[in-house]
Amino acid sequence: MRSRRGGAASGPTSSGRVGREIGGQTTPQMLVRMMADVVALRPRAVHIMAGTNDIARNTGPMTRQQTCDNLAAMAMLARANGIIVLLTNVPPAAAFPWRPGVETIAPIAEINRWIANDARQTKAIHVDYSPVLGDGRGGILSSLSHDGVHPTAAGYAAMELVLAPILGRLRLQADNPNVNKLMTINRPI
């Protein structure tokens, strides 16, 4: 459950990883699909990246707590079914071109603090792409995004530098036959 269905993928679903994505979805929409698109497929691990579209109000206003509750519910469903949880920070974005005027930096920081704390408390694997994507001011580096939100191929290559060692520790790296057992839930496209 990332952001696109089918076709060649870059980023978290490259190298034979399985992605179940629908563009623009918010966490309540992703949560509804969790059983069919993740649990029923029995992956070893799930990569949950969400929150951008909640902050952008793609399906209407949401509180930060609602976003965090939905992330917690997805992670809980995964853990209850023996699936390792990779819980990622909301990627940096200084603005959303499709939602001018929506504050991004403070809400992203607030959700990311919750994600880091929840991952620590629940023993999920916290994945933070901000060090390789961020411009130091809350946005994404312009060299890694065409619109200030969605990573380009270079952005996904940078993200892979963070993700690959984690997958290696989990024995889910590209040269391992179990690599197709990593499901991605969402990513910005």
Side-chain angles (χ1 to χ4, degrees):
M1 291 168 36
R2 274 183 328 152
S3 306
R4 253 191 311 234
R5 283 196 192 257
S10 60
T13 59
S14 62
S15 304
R17 299 172 201 154
V18 179
R20 304 294 280 189
E21 311 88 26
I22 297 176
Q25 283 209 323
T26 55
T27 58
Q29 294 170 309
M30 294 165 61
L31 178 56
V32 168
R33 295 188 305 112
M34 186 73 178
M35 292 303 292
D37 282 358
V38 177
V39 174
L41 300 176
R42 303 184 124 1
R44 284 195 47 217
V46 62
H47 177 272
I48 302 173
M49 179 185 281
T52 296
N53 295 322
D54 290 15
I55 295 166
R57 302 187 306 242
N58 281 12
T59 53
M62 289 185 63
T63 66
R64 300 300 159 258
Q65 190 59 54
Q66 288 170 319
T67 297
C68 295
D69 289 348
N70 290 331
L71 290 168
M74 285 185 271
M76 189 181 318
L77 282 169
R79 280 192 307 276
N81 286 279
I83 301 168
I84 298 166
V85 176
L86 282 72
L87 193 56
T88 75
N89 273 15
V90 179
F96 299 142
W98 69 98
R99 289 279 191 258
V102 170
E103 168 61 28
T104 60
I105 295 171
I108 289 172
E110 182 182 344
I111 293 170
N112 287 347
R113 281 190 299 275
W114 180 90
I115 287 169
N117 186 54
D118 185 72
R120 207 173 15 263
Q121 289 180 355
T122 64
K123 310 258 188 293
I125 298 167
H126 180 222
V127 182
D128 185 0
Y129 295 118
S130 298
V132 297
L133 295 177
D135 66 5
R137 298 179 310 275
I140 189 170
L141 289 167
S142 61
S143 61
L144 301 178
S145 175
H146 64 282
D147 65 357
V149 179
H150 303 100
T152 60
Y156 285 114
M159 292 166 71
E160 186 68 18
L161 296 174
V162 174
L163 186 60
I166 294 167
L167 298 182
R169 287 192 300 274
L170 294 173
R171 303 186 62 131
L172 290 170
Q173 64 273 25
D175 60 352
N176 185 306
N178 290 326
V179 75
N180 65 349
K181 295 299 183 177
L182 171 71
M183 300 296 297
T184 58
I185 301 256
N186 215 354
R187 72 173 170 119
I189 59 167

